[in-house]
Amino acid sequence: MMTPKLGNRLRVFCAGLMISGATIAGIAPAQAEELTVYGAKAKDHFAELIAAFQAKEPDLKINQLLDSNGPIIARLLAEEANPRADIILGAAVPGLVMLEERGMLEPYAPEGLDQIKDRFRDRRSDPPHWVGTDAWASAVCFNTAEGERLGVPAPQSWQDLTKPEYKGMITMPNPNSSATGLLAIVGWTEIFGEEGAWEYMDALHENVSQYVHSGSKPCRMAAAGEAVIGISYPAPGVKAINNGVPLSVIIPEEGVGSEVEGVAILKGARNPDAARRLADFAASQEGHEIHNKYYALVGRKGVSNPVPNYPEGEEEALVDVDFYWVAENRDRILAEWQERYGRKDEPK
């Protein structure tokens, strides 16, 4: 005979089985939607973008991995067979092209694509595999106080930098460790042709004191008086000028190469809907107003926030860069560059 106490225990046990069975049958509370983002933007830029997107998507769980461009692309290639990221936010376009050509990107046209400038999108595919958000261009930083002390004028062109009066006064990023160094070479290749670019770099090398391992360092060295001239990009020089440093930032008259950062969705993304919504936000007016806080050159038409002391004519000076050619020839160019000029490398 069953006792009342035993009967109560059985009823509780059976109720537990019913709840477990209901959970197995699929009526458990739904899991929160997730999104895994790999980023290669500057830390503050990436953080502000994610925070603004999260404010629009409060119920979305966002997993983030932020690193520099090279390690992010290397990680994505290592995960090719089993993608963990849903979307890439801010990788340089040559890296995105490399992924595209391996079939790793999902074409997607974000909302407002018609407002994105041509140079800021994949023009081989419709819908595009990647869409650019911002860009930076090559520039020359010149310490005006040191130039006056040494009796040398501010250069106005790339060819000026090969003049003998600048011997030992120039620093430049090593393109093997800096995307800024590579974009300078790509620009020279577009301007002078590949053979002419090597001839130019041979002449420039005679005046270079050191090749450093950071894209901003040549400008910072010029600002500190450690070099007279730094081949870099405008932002660090403009920051120094706004802090009162006697520096000028020059856009060489022949034109300049540029690097574009973009957003792309991974093929096989586990959370494709959320990835598309982030791609929409990165291409939106609000997203570009955030990009414009960090870069003068952005992808969306009509978004332009003037930065004090930023050099004029940068966008007009941009030469067309064939990112597919860059991706195909990158390793060959970097190996030859290192063989020719690496003896002047900054110690690591």
Side-chain angles (χ1 to χ4, degrees), residues 40-42 45 90-93 131-136 259-263 295:
K41 288 188 177 296
H45 186 183
V93 165
V131 174
T133 54
D134 49 72
W136 67 96
E259 185 70 276
V260 174
E261 289 185 322
V263 58
Y295 295 91

Side-chain angles (χ1 to χ4, degrees), residues 30-51:
Q31 295 293 316
E33 188 180 15
E34 292 192 25
L35 177 67
T36 299
V37 184
Y38 283 8
K41 288 188 177 296
K43 182 178 180 180
D44 291 348
H45 186 183
F46 182 79
E48 186 169 353
L49 278 172
I50 294 297

Side-chain angles (χ1 to χ4, degrees), residues 40 60 91 94 96 98 139 141-142 158 172 183 206 221 235 243 277:
L60 180 64
L96 296 180
M98 188 185 306
C141 293
F142 177 75
W158 292 122
M172 174 184 165
L183 77 87
E206 296 301 311
M221 291 176 71
N243 287 334
R277 298 199 300 274

Side-chain angles (χ1 to χ4, degrees), residues 63-330:
N63 308 306
Q64 308 170 35
L65 175 65
L66 180 65
D67 207 332
S68 57
N69 188 74
I72 285 292
I73 297 299
R75 186 181 183 108
L76 288 164
L77 291 170
E79 295 172 355
E80 180 177 5
N82 183 27
R84 298 182 183 181
D86 297 305
I87 188 168
I88 316 157
L89 184 62
V93 165
L96 296 180
V97 167
M98 188 185 306
L99 301 180
E100 174 194 339
E101 293 186 334
R102 294 176 72 99
M104 294 174 62
L105 301 183
E106 186 70 38
Y108 178 63
E111 292 181 10
L113 180 62
D114 61 329
Q115 295 301 305
I116 302 298
K117 302 166 189 172
D118 280 351
R119 71 168 68 246
F120 283 84
R121 58 160 288 178
D122 167 19
R123 287 175 281 182
R124 283 191 174 187
S125 173
D126 191 13
H129 289 89
W130 53 266
V131 174
T133 54
D134 49 72
W136 67 96
S138 297
V140 173
C141 293
F142 177 75
N143 187 308
T144 55
E146 283 297 295
E148 184 176 351
R149 183 179 71 81
L150 295 169
V152 294
Q156 300 302 313
S157 68
W158 292 122
Q159 289 289 0
D160 282 350
L161 297 184
T162 65
K163 293 179 177 178
E165 57 258 44
Y166 296 120
K167 190 172 183 64
M169 298 183 183
I170 300 173
T171 57
M172 174 184 165
N174 181 321
N176 284 280
S177 49
S178 165
T180 303
L182 179 59
L183 77 87
I185 293 173
V186 169
W188 296 331
T189 302
E190 292 290 342
I191 294 164
F192 304 122
E194 185 173 349
E195 184 177 345
W198 289 116
E199 291 173 358
Y200 173 73
M201 286 185 279
D202 285 346
L204 177 68
H205 181 69
E206 296 301 311
N207 288 347
V208 171
S209 62
Q210 192 176 53
Y211 297 104
V212 299
H213 299 293
S214 159
S216 62
K217 188 171 182 179
C219 241
R220 291 187 280 110
M221 291 176 71
E226 297 170 2
V228 180
I229 295 169
I231 297 172
S232 184
Y233 61 100
V238 171
K239 181 179 180 181
I241 293 168
N242 290 336
N243 287 334
V245 175
L247 199 75
S248 63
V249 177
I250 299 152
I251 304 296
E253 58 192 24
E254 299 98 331
V256 289
S258 62
E259 185 70 276
V260 174
E261 289 185 322
V263 58
I265 297 173
L266 270 296
K267 185 167 285 187
R270 299 172 187 178
N271 304 286
D273 290 340
R276 293 184 194 107
R277 298 199 300 274
L278 178 54
D280 290 343
F281 179 73
S284 70
Q285 179 80 16
E286 181 181 352
H288 272 80
E289 287 171 358
I290 294 173
H291 305 323
N292 199 198
K293 292 181 182 180
Y294 300 90
Y295 295 91
L297 294 177
V298 296
R300 194 174 176 95
K301 300 170 185 175
V303 179
S304 179
N305 179 36
V307 178
N309 293 308
Y310 205 90
E312 294 183 2
E314 181 185 35
E315 189 160 7
E316 294 75 14
L318 298 182
V319 297
D320 273 336
V321 173
D322 184 344
F323 295 112
Y324 297 90
W325 184 89
V326 176
E328 183 179 344
N329 291 277
R330 176 181 180 276

